[in-house]
Structures are given as C-alpha cells and as structure tokens.
Amino acid sequence: TLSPQSNAAAHRLDSLSMESVLEAFRVQQDPQARPEHIRDANLWLERFQSTTEAWTVADGLLSLPAEQVGNGSAHVFAAQTLRAKIQYDWAELPPQSHAALRDSLLAHAVRYSAGPQVVLTQLCLAVATLALHMEAWGQAVPELIGRFTSPPAEALAKLPCLLELLTVMPEEAENFKVAVMPRRRDEFRGLLRGAGPQVVALLGQVQEQCRGSSPLVQACLRCTASWLKAKSVPADCLMASPLVGLAFAALDDQTLFDEGVEMLVELVHFSKEADSHAQLVAGIMPPVLALGRRYDAAVQAGDEEVARALVRLFTETGEQCLHLLLTQQPEWLVSLAACLLRGAAHPDADVAEITFNFWYMLAEELNGGGRSLNDAQRVDARGLFADCFRQLLQALRSLVEFPSESDSWPADQADDFRRFRYAVGDVLTDACKVLSSTACIEEVYGALQQRLPAFGADPAGQWRSIEACVFCARQMITSNEPAFFTAPVVHQLLQLLPTLPAAGDLPNTAIRTVGTYANWLSRHAEMLPQMLTYVTSGLQQQRNAAAASQAMKHLCDACAEHLAEEATMAQLIQMYLGTLSFSLEPADRVDLVAALSFVVSQLPLPQVLPAMEAIARPLLQRLQAALEGGGGPGEVSVLLEQLCALLGKVSPGARPTADEVARVPALQDALHPSVHLLQQLWGVLEAIFERHGGDSRVMEKLCRCYKHTSRNTAQGPFRGDFRSLVPRLLPQVTGWFERQPHSCFLYVANVCLRGYHDAPELLPTFRETFARMSAVVFRLLSAAPTAIPDNPDVVDDFFELCSTVLRLHPALLAESELLLSSFQCGCAALRIQHREANRAVVGFFEMLLVLRQAGARGNLSPAAFNGITTLLVANGAQLAQELLLAIAGLVPPARVRFLSPVLKGLVLVDYAASRSWLEAAVQALPPGGHMDGATLLQAIYSAEALARDDRGAGDRVFGQAAEAFSNACRRRRLL
C-alpha cells in the first residue's frame, strides 16, 4: 500500500501524463501542426501505451467528458490502451487489483453504452480478455447478465453494452494473442458452455421484447452467431427458442439482412457437430429452400450483394449437411442442388465460384471418394443427380467464355479470368466423375457442333464460344475410364481441332488440348503424325509457342514408345533443329529438350547417347561461340538450362542386355548416358567457370547440370552411377568455391552427401570438402559487420549442409573443431532477415539439439555426444541470448513459431542450466522486457509445458508463450 506521500506523487505523475496525452491529441488535431510534430506525437502515444502509468491515465481519460477531450479520439485511445494492457501486460498488475480494474471497466462500459460504438467495443473486449485471465472470476457471464439486467428500470439502457459484452466473450476465448495456459483457456471455454442456456434464454427475451428496435435486433443476431461459432449453446435450448425464426425473418428486412445471413451460416456449421443434428437440419432446410425464390428475385433486380449472400448460405448448408441429406433426405439435397445450380450460373464469377467446393464434395460422394454411401446407394444417387450435373456443364461452359471486351483487358484482369477458368476446370472434372468423361465430352462436342456454322461465317466475331467448348473438353480427360479410350467422340474432337480457323485464343487452347489428350493418343498412335504436325506449327507463332512446347512435352512423354523408332527420332531431331531459328522463350526451349528426352529414353540403349549428343551438339556449338566470342552471361545461362533438361530427363529403362553387349562391347559396364554426356561436357563447364565464375546466375545453372544428373541417376537400373564422378567433382567445386564463394557450390556438396553418404570410400572426400568449404564460409561471414546479411544464400546453403552432415555423418562436425565455429556463426546468423536463410540456421540448431537429446539412441558416437554436450555447456548461454533477442524482435514476427522448437530443445537439454542461461538473457534485455521475460520463463518451465504427451500440448505452450513474449516486446519497441 502506498503512503500518503507516495500516493500524492503518483497522482501528480498521472496528472502530468494525462496532460501530455491530451497535448499529443491536440497536436494531432491541429490543422496547423507540422508533419514532423504529428509524427512525434503519434510515436509518443505508441510508447506511452507500454508504460505502467498508462493503466491509471487511460482509466482517468475515460472518465473525462467528451468536450474536454476534443473529438473523442482520446476516449478511443484510452479504451484501446486498456484492452492492449490487459492483453499484453497483465503481469504488471498485482492480483489484488484485478477486481477493481474489472469494476472500473464495467462502469466505463455502462457510460459508453449509447456510444461511441468503437469505445464500447474496445471496453467490452478489455472485459472479455480480463475474464480470460482472471481465474477468480469463475461466473463471469452469469454475473454480467445479473449486473446489466438489474434494476429492471435500467436494463434497457444497459442492454447494448450487455449484448456487446456477450458477443465478444466467445471470440476472446479463441484469441491466442492472450498469453494464458491451454488449461486456463479450456476452463474458460467450459465456463462459457455452462452459461449457454442462460445466454440463449436472455437472447430469446431480447428478441421478443425489442422487435421494433433494429439496432438491438442486429446486436442480438450478432451475439447469437458468436455463441454458435464457439459451440457454446446447447442445441435443445436453441431449438426451443425463437432465435432461429428471428434469423430467417431478418432476411426480409434490409437493415437486418447481413446479420441474419451470418447467424444462419453459423447455425449451419453448429448443426453439423450438434448431437441433435438431424432435428436441427429438419428445422433449417424448409426455410432455406424457400429462399430460392428470394435469390431469383435478387438476380432479376440486379442485387448482387443479396444474391452473393444467399448463394453463400446455400453452399454452406450443402457442405455442412451433405452427409445427412444424402443418406436421409436426398430429395431435399436435390432441391438444394437446384438452388446452387442457379448460383453457379450467376454471371458474376465471384458469386458462381462460391458454389464450386460443394460440387466437389458432392461428386466425391457420388463417385466413391466419400464414405456416406455404399456401392448400390451410389449408383442410385448418381442417377438422381445426373440431370443436375448436366445443367451444371451448360452453366460452366458459359462462365469460361471470354467476354467480348476481353481483348482490351489489362494484364491483371486477364490473369484473374484465367485463374477462374482453371477453377471452373476443376468443377468440370468433378462433373466427369458423376456423368463420365465420355458423356461430358459428348455434351460439349454437341454444343461445339451447334456453334460451328456461326463461327465459320464470322471467325473473328464468334471464336469465343468455340474456344469455351474446346477449353471445357480439355478439362474432361480421364485415365481410369475404359470407355473414354474407345469413344468415337474423342476421335472426332481431335480430328476437328486442326481444321478450326485460327482466331483469337482458339489456336492456343486447341493446341493445349491436344497435349492434354496425350494419354488417349498413346493408344491411337495412328493420329500422332497429324497431331505432331499441328502442334509443331504452333511453335512458329510467338503467341502459341508456349502452348505448343508444353503440348509437345506431353505428347512425347505419353507417346514416347511409339516415337522411339530410329526414323521417327531422326525426324524429331530435325524438327528440333528447325526450331533453333524460331524466336522462342527460354522456358519453351527447355520444354522442347525435355520432350525429346522422353523419347530418347525409350530408344534402344546403343542409340541413347548418340541421340543425346545430337541434341546437345547445337547447344555446345553455341556455348563455344559464346565463350570464344564474348557472349554474355544471359546467353550462357539459357544454353546451360537446356543442357540441364537433357541431363535430367533422359532415363533409360534398363541396363544393356547380353545381346546388346555382344553387338556393342563398349556397353559392358556402361554408365548412365547422362553421366557419359556430363563427362564429355566437363571441359566446357570448366571453361564456363573460368569465363563467368563471378556471375552467380551462370554458376547456378552450371551447378544444376551436376545436380540434375545426380538426381536422374539416383533411382532405376543405373542407380549410383553418378558416384564415380564424386571424387573428381567435389574437389573441383571446392576449389571453385575457394575462388568464387557462390552458394550453389555448397548445394552441390549437399547433393553429393545426401546421395552417396553410404559410400565409405567417399568419406575422406566428404570430410575434406566440408572442412575446406567451412573455412571459406567462416572467412566470408566474418569479413565485415554486414557480411551475414549481405550473403543470405551462402548462409542458407551452408547451414543446410551442416544439418545434412549432422543427420548423416555427425562425426564430421561434432568431432571436429568446426563445431564451435559453426555454432557461433549460427548464433550470429539467427538475426538474419532472409526467410530461407533464417530457416536453415534454425533447422541447424534444431537438429543439433535433437541429436543431443537422442544421445546413444541416435546415431551419435560417444565422442560426438561429448563434443555436442561440451559445446552446449560452454556456449548455451550465447544461444539462449540470441534466441531471446530474435524472438523479442530481431526477426519478423512470422518466424517466431519456428524458433519455439529450438527454445524447447534448449530447455530439454538441461532444465537447470538452461533456466540460468535464459534468466541471464532476460536480465540482459532492456528493463522494459524483464517482466515479459519472467512471464515467458514461468510458462515454459511449467509442468504443463514440460509434460510429455503425444498430443503436442507442451509444444503449444512453448509456441504460445514465445508468441506472447514476442508480441509484448514488439509492442514496447524493446529492441
């Protein structure tokens, strides 16, 4: 208790602080104030909110009349401050002051019951957050109802405040920015459920007695929705109340419509998990279906907002009640699907798209992907909904048609429409699951035939409707429907596509469609020459080149066995050589090389390497010319990327047979053709380093040649062939890294270690490579104060390599002097802002601590275990301090969730030692963070945090405690 003298001093301090706050607001509101003064006032107010004086000053500000604080912004500030203080700084308050704060907040809330609404809402949120914190207030909701409904003469005036309080209570129960233990949060949820019947009864009375007051009815609907969302009301009480009827009646009142829809949506979600699900649905469905007429009227009147809200309600009802309706009331589901069908046909794409997930869920159930129906029921249900899905096809075809003004669209609008078309494509695929792909293609092909005469008469004006049909057909392929592969309509469609006049986007879509039907063409090889000619023609027009190269890639992938004849391969290579003169994008050229690689893979093994050499030859010639003639890094990068595709995609299916070896003895013990080709390229790649070693983009492409070859040979009959190159490759890239420290060289070492760590003969090579590369990294990252943030890619790839070493060969690091340097470098790099680099550093520490915890149960030798233990004993305090600083604000807030597992790992290594490290780290923080740090330690060393269970409760405690500490420190601008 304060002495009279100290009370007086505190009062003077609060008076000065309040006057300072009011002065800051006067500066903000002064039209003559200079911008820098306004900025200083804003900054001062933000900092003031983090002080302990803010508690009493904010309380006092709320007691001042509006005319004394200008336009009322000080009242908003005060209410927001109290809410934030309770949320983040609860630990500042002694327990004996909790009840007084609650009573003061409630008194303020009553004062502002009539507004301003923003002040009332913030005060109510403050009360709700206080209730979540304040375990002693065990009957918060009943006490609030009792306090605000008596005496009866004042109840109506206080009702807006009570309804706002009850609305935010369930919402704050799920506010994870409030740092409470999971146990307390669960207790609070239970308290709300216990008060549910009383709340439903109160809301029912409000609805009956306040029908004429729209604001109160709106508040009643919002409050009901909040409690439904929290699942805090009993279903039987809800069904017996007039609240459901109120929500449907609200849809006829323009002022209540939005709140009514929100409550009904929450009711639908609530009904799915209620014990009395069937009874609730039986009460909901008839009035929901009756809203179909209301939707039609809204569309006719052009009221898009009402139409959108009703489609959302139809969709939520269908998704949440699907199982029950499908198994018990299918006729209701058919009627609801009819309402959703009208929504899917809405001309506004955003409205139509709301329905798409429902069609997916229904199609999954009808096709066997769900669990609601047995096989016999599924057959009957498909027949019941077949007509609905046929009508859906018609609606979707209209949706994907380009509008007449599409030619003048800006790029972002065109991209949005294409994204929407692909979403429609997913729904078309869903329709195929119900009707069959063949039936859907027949529907679309019939529509296409109807439109051909008009298109033939005016291609430039009528191409859009034809293109929409072709686009739909493109989405209707299947791989598990036998009738699809023998359907005449598919043959007719593909025969038609090359004959269509080139207009608008139609050629592009038609070419892509041919590529999409590659699997069908693999069973109808007689059509391949015609289709290849058509697709190849598209390469000559820049507008269609990307579509043609991708279609060629699909065709060669699916039909490689039909194209892998020596004569056909020669024709394909001639086609490829002919495209070298075309103006193609680099990505399109890569697709073409990948396409040829699929066919080369199917050739007899003696022909594979010669074919690869034929494809690579013009690329090598251009590389040589670029190196000799001063070609730029961009040209070299493009050529290397094409070589990467060749090295990475050619994958022969078998090693040479005895007959092949007899005919070609050189095939005996032959390596993978990509390895052979890479050996031929070795000198060229060395020359590229000598010429462009300083260009990181070129070096990245160069390293991909090694990486793609390694991955290509990691599986299959030639598995491990790349191993023979590792003793030559790693010293080479290590030497390059010592001359030009590009991160891609570290990645090559990582690829080799991951792929061939089980080869004991390579262990000395791995040890030397890791040691030499680590030395380069340590010199680079310690060369200047900004070296770490200036080299994020090196940080990323180095610590990824360290994690790989710890996982596969921990002795290389844990039993060497590199461990301490890597640890200290990692501590410094924990502050790096680059996302991937920071994740790599965090992953390194996580791996290190996991290995230490596993000990003998892991793959650590005694020497490695002792090395990590000695390291942590000597340097654990450094890691603890860097972790705490990172969480407190040195890294972006989104990264904190990745740091909490490292924090937990450090705690689990040694409870007592880690606590002393973290206590010292807290004391090293600026004084404003000491109390928040103490709260963090109290949480993470609680029995709840350290309990061992399979549900991850301890992980959640660590995560939530770290997030709360981070939020509090950032709010105080601690660092």
Side-chain angles (χ1 to χ4, degrees):
T1 304
L2 293 173
S3 66
Q5 292 82 4
S6 61
N7 268 322
H11 179 72
R12 285 195 300 275
L13 179 61
D14 291 344
S15 298
L16 289 171
S17 298
M18 186 178 297
E19 182 55 39
S20 298
V21 170
L22 293 174
E23 176 59 27
F25 277 104
R26 282 193 284 270
V27 170
Q28 283 185 334
Q29 296 159 18
D30 183 359
Q32 305 301 320
R34 298 173 63 178
E36 58 269 25
H37 293 163
I38 295 175
R39 184 174 60 252
D40 290 344
N42 291 337
L43 185 59
W44 186 89
L45 287 170
E46 287 180 19
R47 290 175 174 167
F48 175 75
Q49 285 184 308
S50 301
T51 65
T52 54
E53 294 83 8
W55 290 101
T56 51
V57 171
D59 185 66
L61 281 171
L62 288 166
S63 301
L64 295 177
E67 58 271 13
Q68 195 169 335
V69 294
N71 64 2
S73 54
H75 286 158
V76 177
F77 171 81
Q80 290 173 335
T81 298
L82 284 175
R83 187 217 173 172
K85 296 293 287 182
I86 294 170
Q87 180 166 299
Y88 296 114
D89 302 330
W90 180 252
E92 292 179 353
L93 289 179
Q96 59 269 27
S97 67
H98 294 171
L101 174 61
R102 175 195 62 195
D103 294 341
S104 178
L105 285 171
L106 291 174
H108 289 314
V110 170
R111 281 190 60 217
Y112 292 95
S113 187
Q117 182 63 39
V118 63
V119 177
L120 176 61
T121 298
Q122 289 299 316
L123 288 170
C124 291
L125 286 167
V127 172
T129 308
L130 180 143
L132 179 57
H133 275 298
M134 191 174 170
E135 296 190 40
W137 194 14
Q139 296 297 314
V141 173
E143 288 182 24
L144 286 173
I145 292 175
R147 182 182 296 221
F148 282 84
T149 55
S150 60
E154 301 176 7
L156 185 61
K158 294 189 286 188
L159 189 55
C161 180
L162 176 59
L163 291 175
E164 188 69 20
L165 279 167
L166 293 178
T167 299
V168 301
M169 277 282 187
E171 296 170 358
E172 283 302 284
E174 307 307 319
N175 179 5
F176 287 92
K177 290 183 179 179
V178 183
V180 297
M181 293 292 191
R183 170 195 54 78
R184 172 55 190 163
R185 196 176 298 277
D186 289 340
E187 286 177 356
F188 190 67
R189 290 169 179 148
L191 294 173
L192 293 178
R193 287 193 296 272
Q198 191 175 358
V199 171
V200 171
L202 172 71
L203 294 173
Q205 291 175 8
V206 172
Q207 187 267 334
E208 293 286 355
Q209 298 173 14
C210 303
R211 290 178 182 272
S213 172
S214 290
L216 288 176
V217 176
Q218 285 176 325
C220 181
L221 290 166
R222 284 195 298 269
C223 186
T224 307
S226 177
W227 282 72
L228 287 170
K229 186 174 184 178
K231 311 292 189 294
S232 297
V233 295
D236 54 348
C237 293
L238 184 67
M239 293 168 64
S241 78
L243 293 173
V244 176
L246 166 67
F248 280 106
L251 302 186
D252 295 325
D253 186 330
Q254 186 175 358
T255 61
L256 304 175
F257 180 84
D258 291 340
E259 288 79 7
V261 169
E262 288 300 321
M263 182 192 146
L264 289 173
V265 167
E266 294 302 338
L267 176 62
V268 167
H269 280 266
F270 172 83
S271 72
K272 183 176 182 180
E273 299 182 19
D275 294 334
S276 51
H277 178 41
Q279 293 90 332
L280 276 171
V281 172
I284 294 170
M285 283 305 300
V288 166
L289 295 176
L291 292 171
R293 292 187 295 273
R294 176 72 188 278
Y295 171 80
D296 293 338
V299 172
Q300 188 171 3
D303 193 336
E304 185 177 310
E305 292 306 313
V306 169
R308 182 192 306 273
L310 292 176
V311 169
R312 179 183 169 220
L313 178 57
F314 296 149
T315 303
E316 297 283 0
T317 305
E319 292 176 0
Q320 301 302 318
C321 305
L322 181 61
H323 173 77
L324 177 74
L325 295 177
L326 198 56
T327 56
Q328 298 183 26
Q329 297 286 347
E331 64 280 0
W332 276 351
L333 186 57
V334 171
S335 300
L336 184 61
C339 294
L340 283 158
L341 186 60
R342 304 208 285 278
H346 195 282
D348 186 283
D350 291 338
V351 176
E353 194 169 3
I354 295 171
T355 71
F356 287 1
N357 191 57
F358 167 78
W359 300 116
Y360 163 75
M361 293 175 64
L362 179 57
E364 283 293 293
E365 291 290 352
L366 298 180
N367 186 52
R371 300 180 179 179
S372 299
L373 305 173
N374 59 37
D375 290 343
Q377 292 171 326
R378 202 170 290 120
V379 171
D380 293 339
R382 278 203 295 268
L384 191 62
F385 288 95
D387 189 59
C388 182
F389 274 93
R390 276 191 287 270
Q391 294 179 60
L392 179 63
L393 288 179
Q394 299 173 17
L396 296 175
R397 191 181 66 246
S398 299
L399 287 174
V400 300
E401 185 171 328
F402 279 102
S404 57
E405 69 274 10
S406 60
D407 289 340
S408 60
W409 278 350
D412 58 343
Q413 188 175 359
D415 289 342
D416 288 343
F417 187 69
R418 289 190 177 92
R419 180 206 59 80
F420 169 72
R421 282 177 26 124
Y422 283 112
V424 173
D426 291 337
V427 187
L428 289 166
T429 302
D430 296 331
C432 291
K433 296 176 185 176
V434 178
L435 299 174
S436 83
S437 290
T438 304
C440 290
I441 295 170
E442 288 172 346
E443 289 278 340
V444 170
Y445 186 72
L448 190 155
Q449 288 288 344
Q450 292 174 9
R451 289 159 175 74
L452 279 179
F455 174 58
D458 182 15
Q462 300 296 323
W463 67 266
R464 291 175 175 81
S465 62
I466 300 296
E467 191 275 343
C469 292
V470 175
F471 177 86
C472 290
R474 181 184 164 202
Q475 313 302 317
M476 293 174 175
I477 59 167
T478 182
S479 59
N480 55 5
E481 185 183 311
F484 167 74
F485 291 99
T486 59
V489 68
V490 180
H491 189 279
Q492 295 164 8
L493 173 67
L494 292 176
Q495 288 277 26
L496 175 65
L497 294 181
T499 69
L500 296 174
D505 279 354
L506 178 56
N508 191 290
T509 302
I511 289 171
R512 291 184 187 277
T513 302
V514 171
T516 305
Y517 278 76
N519 283 330
W520 188 92
L521 287 165
S522 71
R523 304 195 188 187
H524 299 269
E526 71 280 0
M527 292 189 66
L528 273 176
Q530 179 188 5
M531 294 298 108
L532 284 171
T533 301
Y534 176 54
V535 169
T536 304
S537 68
L539 293 169
Q540 301 177 41
Q541 295 95 36
Q542 189 170 3
R543 182 175 185 177
N544 301 323
S549 60
Q550 290 176 22
M552 184 68 72
K553 182 178 176 181
H554 292 311
L555 287 172
C556 290
D557 187 11
C559 307
E561 61 184 47
H562 301 296
L563 301 173
E565 299 288 340
E566 190 170 359
T568 309
M569 188 72 242
Q571 292 174 1
L572 287 173
I573 290 178
Q574 284 303 120
M575 176 275 297
Y576 159 71
L577 296 175
T579 64
L580 296 177
S581 62
F582 296 168
S583 177
L584 298 180
E585 293 294 324
D588 299 336
R589 294 200 177 279
V590 170
D591 281 340
L592 284 177
V593 173
L596 293 176
S597 300
F598 292 132
V599 181
V600 171
S601 300
Q602 297 299 318
L603 290 172
L605 192 59
Q607 300 174 22
V608 172
L609 186 57
M612 294 180 71
E613 291 169 343
I615 297 168
R617 191 172 298 114
L619 303 178
L620 289 174
Q621 290 169 352
R622 293 188 175 195
L623 269 176
Q624 294 283 7
L627 293 173
E628 294 169 4
E635 181 183 359
V636 174
S637 295
V638 168
L639 292 167
L640 282 173
E641 195 164 5
Q642 294 171 65
L643 285 173
C644 287
L646 183 62
L647 292 165
K649 296 295 184 183
V650 172
S651 183
R655 284 197 175 272
T657 65
D659 289 342
E660 288 174 328
V661 171
R663 290 195 303 270
V664 186
L667 292 177
Q668 182 71 41
D669 300 323
L671 296 172
H672 191 292
S674 291
V675 174
H676 274 298
L677 183 61
L678 183 61
Q679 289 173 324
Q680 295 178 27
L681 296 173
W682 207 273
V684 177
L685 298 181
E686 288 178 331
I688 291 172
F689 173 80
E690 296 300 332
R691 180 62 185 270
H692 296 288
D695 190 290
S696 60
R697 181 179 54 171
V698 175
M699 292 301 99
E700 172 67 25
K701 304 298 185 189
L702 184 151
C703 286
R704 285 186 185 181
C705 292
Y706 303 122
K707 177 181 74 174
H708 284 271
T709 307
S710 175
R711 288 183 175 175
N712 190 17
T713 60
Q715 303 294 332
F718 293 88
R719 184 178 184 275
D721 279 8
F722 189 80
R723 179 188 304 180
S724 62
L725 300 182
V726 173
R728 181 182 180 189
L729 173 62
L730 285 183
Q732 175 180 266
V733 296
T734 303
W736 288 351
F737 188 62
E738 289 169 336
R739 293 170 58 188
Q740 297 286 352
H742 295 298
S743 64
C744 55
F745 299 134
L746 290 164
Y747 187 75
V748 169
N750 202 342
V751 167
C752 291
L753 180 59
R754 289 202 306 263
Y756 308 103
H757 62 91
D758 55 352
E761 71 276 9
L762 294 178
L763 187 56
T765 303
F766 289 140
R767 180 179 287 110
E768 180 186 358
T769 295
F770 183 59
R772 289 171 59 187
M773 286 187 159
S774 297
V776 175
V777 170
F778 299 148
R779 285 197 303 271
L780 175 68
L781 299 184
S782 61
T786 61
I788 288 177
D790 289 345
N791 295 278
D793 293 338
V794 172
V795 174
D796 180 10
D797 283 313
F798 175 69
F799 282 100
E800 286 288 351
L801 177 59
C802 287
S803 295
T804 300
V805 169
L806 286 174
R807 186 174 71 254
L808 300 177
H809 277 300
L812 293 184
L813 184 55
E815 297 181 23
S816 79
E817 68 279 1
L818 299 174
L819 181 61
L820 176 59
S821 299
S822 300
F823 184 92
Q824 292 175 335
C825 183
C827 286
L830 272 173
R831 306 182 178 198
I832 195 167
Q833 300 299 299
H834 188 276
R835 183 177 60 185
E836 285 76 16
N838 187 263
R839 286 289 294 123
V841 176
V842 171
F844 163 71
F845 282 115
E846 200 169 353
M847 176 65 68
L848 189 70
L849 293 168
V850 165
L851 280 176
R852 171 57 180 76
Q853 292 167 38
R857 292 179 286 107
N859 61 343
L860 280 184
S861 66
F865 178 81
N866 292 334
I868 294 176
T869 301
T870 302
L871 172 81
L872 291 174
V873 168
N875 299 277
Q878 181 185 3
L879 177 58
Q881 183 170 10
E882 290 299 332
L883 269 177
L884 220 60
L885 288 170
I887 294 171
L890 291 185
V891 300
R895 311 271 174 79
V896 172
R897 63 191 178 96
F898 299 114
L899 292 168
S900 59
V902 182
L903 181 64
K904 183 177 182 180
L906 190 63
V907 168
L908 294 179
V909 165
D910 187 321
Y911 294 169
S914 63
R915 183 151 199 160
S916 68
W917 299 334
L918 288 166
E919 285 173 349
V922 168
Q923 291 305 309
L925 292 171
H930 290 175
M931 187 171 295
D932 298 313
T935 302
L936 170 69
L937 296 188
Q938 181 182 1
I940 65 177
Y941 284 96
S942 66
E944 197 172 349
L946 300 176
R948 298 184 181 275
D949 61 57
D950 296 329
R951 297 175 298 170
D955 294 340
R956 288 194 294 274
V957 173
F958 269 88
Q960 292 169 15
E963 293 278 359
F965 172 71
S966 178
N967 290 337
C969 292
R970 292 170 200 275
R971 181 173 154 270
R972 297 181 194 281
R973 300 178 183 270
L974 195 67
L975 301 178

